[in-house]
Structures are given as structure tokens and as C-alpha cells.
Amino acid sequence: LLNKETVPVHFGHNFLRSVFGLKTDTADLLPLLEHVDKTLHTKLTYILSGAYAELGDTLQDVLEQCHLPKTFVVSESHCQELVRSTPLLEGGDSMEVTEENKEKFVQLLLDRILISGVANQVQYFQRGLLRVVPHELVQRITGIMSVKEIELMLCGADGIDVDDWEKHTEYENGYSADSKVVRWFWEAVRAMPEHMRAQLLSFSTGSSQVPSGGFRFLQPELFTIQRVGVTDRFPAAHTCANTLDLPEYTSKEVLEQHLRFALEETGDSFGLR
């Protein structure tokens, strides 16, 4: 937030809403669950729809098939035989889930998973956040930004737009956008799978995340490709300046081989071993 750096993780919208003090309506919990647990979201949506009745199944049959409790309880662990279930309300362990109360069961379950069940973690996270970010700034953020915008600011954009990357790239030491080696480089980047593009971005800048506004907001400098007048070296990076040293290779194939080797051998480290 303070240094315009992104973090390589995406937080659930329900978690961000709680951390930044944004109110979550009960009706919003089921859509939020889809971003946290798609499988459970599908199961609960199916139960609420009642479509199973057309197949001759009962609610109790479906709860068993979905590995969901038949009473108002929730398991706090995948090892149910080791950890006792927690009632969703007083006397919940003896209250059977029925057609008449299944909506209440789903709402209580959603609240437990997304809100009350992580309340302690949210509290500690908030406490840590406010130790480094002024409370006034947090309030300003929540007053003018949506949860999605907060996520973009913290975590960066999903995916890597190569056209945007190329558009906001500078060239030094004799290279230009029209240089043959530069054209080969961008052709190679476009042919890469998404995970390898992220590796290249991390190799060159120290982060695999794209700033929320795109590459023109890359800090502290725009991405730069710098010419190296040799052909027998591997690409190297200066992450503090977002600069990639790209040798003047003799062919596109040689460039791709050397670039791939550099990315595969360095992993998550910067520069070359």
C-alpha cells in the first residue's frame, strides 16, 4: 500500500471485506463462497434449488452424498474422527436439517466459514495492517474503493497482457522496438505459457505480479531491455531497475533456448546462478 508493491497471493473477497471493515450482507455470502470453495458452492446451490427431488432423492440423501452434516453442525477439520463438530447454534447437534430449515442451515454454515470462523485471524491481520498503514488511509481506501479494486491494488492484475508489456517497455544501449533481436524476444514471450511469462516477469523485476494499472505503473522504472553485444551469454537481470540484459543472439531459436534455460535454472531467484 505504502510503497506501491503487490503481493504474490490473492485474498478472498470475504477476507478483504472483513479486514477493511466493509459490511457483508447475508445474501452476498453464497456468491463469495464461489471464490473460496467452488465445490462447496456447487453443493449448497444444488441443495437450495431442490432439483434433487426431480431425481427421486431426499434432502438427507443429498447431504450424505455431498458429505455434509445432517444436523446444524460444522466440522472444523477434515479429520472428523479427531476433531469434534461445532454446533452452528445452541442445540444444533440435535437439530435435523429439513426442507423447511435448510436455508437457515446454509446461511449459518456460510457465516461460520466466511465470517465468524475466521474472525480471530481477521482481527490479528487488521492489527498488523494498522501497525504499518495509518488508520486514516485505510478509512479513505474503504470509502472510495470496491473490494475488487482493493484486491487489484494489493495483489495486481490477473494474467499478463504482453501487448501492454511491450507497449510500456524502454530500450537501451543500441536496442529499439524495431531491432531484430527485440522482435524475436516478444515473439518468444507471446509463445510462452502463462506460468513461464510470470517466471520471466519475476526474473526481470523481482515480482511475478502485474501492477493493478498495468505495466505503465511498474515501479521504480519501466521494464527495460538492454543490449549486450555478445552472443555466448545467457540473459541476466537487474531487478532493482526492472532491466533485462539481452545478448545480441544470431537467431530466434538461440534466443529462445538461452532464455528458457535462464528461466528454468534460476527458478524464483534473480539473475543467474
Side-chain angles (χ1 to χ4, degrees), residues 172-211:
E172 292 182 353
N173 203 23
Y175 275 156
S176 71
D178 296 323
S179 298
K180 181 167 56 177
V181 175
V182 170
R183 294 201 306 268
W184 289 341
F185 172 81
W186 289 116
E187 289 173 7
V189 174
R190 285 186 170 83
M192 288 178 178
E194 187 69 24
H195 76 274
M196 188 166 286
R197 291 178 190 164
Q199 275 185 287
L200 174 61
L201 183 59
S202 177
F203 176 82
S204 306
T205 70
S207 174
S208 62
Q209 302 298 118
V210 181

Side-chain angles (χ1 to χ4, degrees), residues 5-271:
E5 295 289 341
T6 57
V7 292
V9 63
H10 283 273
F11 297 103
H13 284 192
N14 63 298
F15 182 75
L16 287 177
R17 293 185 73 89
S18 297
V19 166
F20 283 88
L22 296 171
K23 187 177 182 297
T24 301
D25 293 330
T26 303
D28 295 330
L29 291 178
L30 187 57
L32 285 172
L33 179 66
E34 188 173 10
H35 299 283
V36 178
D37 190 332
K38 289 183 180 295
T39 301
L40 182 58
H41 173 268
T42 299
K43 292 177 179 179
L44 295 182
T45 301
Y46 182 60
I47 288 172
L48 290 175
S49 72
Y52 48 84
E54 299 177 3
L55 302 176
D57 290 329
T58 66
L59 175 58
Q60 294 297 309
D61 293 333
V62 175
L63 290 171
E64 183 174 351
Q65 293 164 9
C66 293
H67 303 287
L68 291 172
K70 297 181 180 181
T71 57
F72 277 64
V73 298
V74 60
S75 174
E76 305 288 0
S77 170
H78 292 295
C79 300
Q80 299 183 22
E81 65 277 7
L82 299 178
V83 180
R84 294 180 61 184
S85 296
T86 302
L88 293 172
L89 74 174
E90 187 175 353
D93 51 351
S94 60
M95 183 181 298
E96 184 179 353
V97 180
T98 65
E99 291 290 347
E100 290 72 27
N101 63 23
K102 66 180 182 182
E103 290 187 10
K104 182 177 181 180
F105 165 75
V106 169
Q107 291 301 328
L108 290 172
L109 182 62
L110 290 172
D111 178 81
R112 180 68 186 180
I113 294 171
L114 300 177
I115 306 297
S116 61
V118 294
N120 288 336
Q121 291 87 337
V122 166
Q123 182 181 5
Y124 289 124
F125 195 95
Q126 282 178 322
R127 189 180 303 172
L129 177 67
L130 294 176
R131 289 183 65 180
V132 293
V133 181
H135 186 260
E136 296 75 15
L137 178 57
V138 173
Q139 287 184 315
R140 287 182 60 191
I141 289 172
T142 56
I144 63 176
M145 301 180 72
S146 67
V147 175
K148 181 61 178 177
E149 289 169 332
I150 293 173
E151 181 191 30
L152 282 172
M153 179 176 61
L154 289 175
C155 310
D158 289 326
I160 296 174
D161 185 338
V162 180
D163 290 337
D164 182 59
W165 192 356
E166 182 178 7
K167 179 180 178 181
H168 296 101
T169 294
E170 296 182 342
Y171 304 94
E172 292 182 353
N173 203 23
Y175 275 156
S176 71
D178 296 323
S179 298
K180 181 167 56 177
V181 175
V182 170
R183 294 201 306 268
W184 289 341
F185 172 81
W186 289 116
E187 289 173 7
V189 174
R190 285 186 170 83
M192 288 178 178
E194 187 69 24
H195 76 274
M196 188 166 286
R197 291 178 190 164
Q199 275 185 287
L200 174 61
L201 183 59
S202 177
F203 176 82
S204 306
T205 70
S207 174
S208 62
Q209 302 298 118
V210 181
S212 59
F215 281 92
R216 67 192 178 102
F217 291 103
L218 198 62
Q219 296 289 331
E221 305 286 345
L222 289 179
F223 178 69
T224 300
I225 298 178
Q226 181 172 267
R227 175 181 171 273
V228 178
V230 296
T231 60
D232 59 349
R233 285 178 52 187
F234 291 100
H238 309 276
T239 57
C240 57
N242 298 333
T243 297
L244 178 70
D245 287 346
L246 186 64
E248 200 168 16
Y249 295 116
T250 56
S251 71
K252 178 182 175 182
E253 290 71 27
V254 173
L255 182 150
E256 289 177 330
Q257 291 170 3
H258 281 68
L259 184 59
R260 186 181 306 111
F261 182 86
L263 297 180
E264 291 176 350
E265 289 300 306
T266 55
D268 291 332
S269 60
F270 308 143

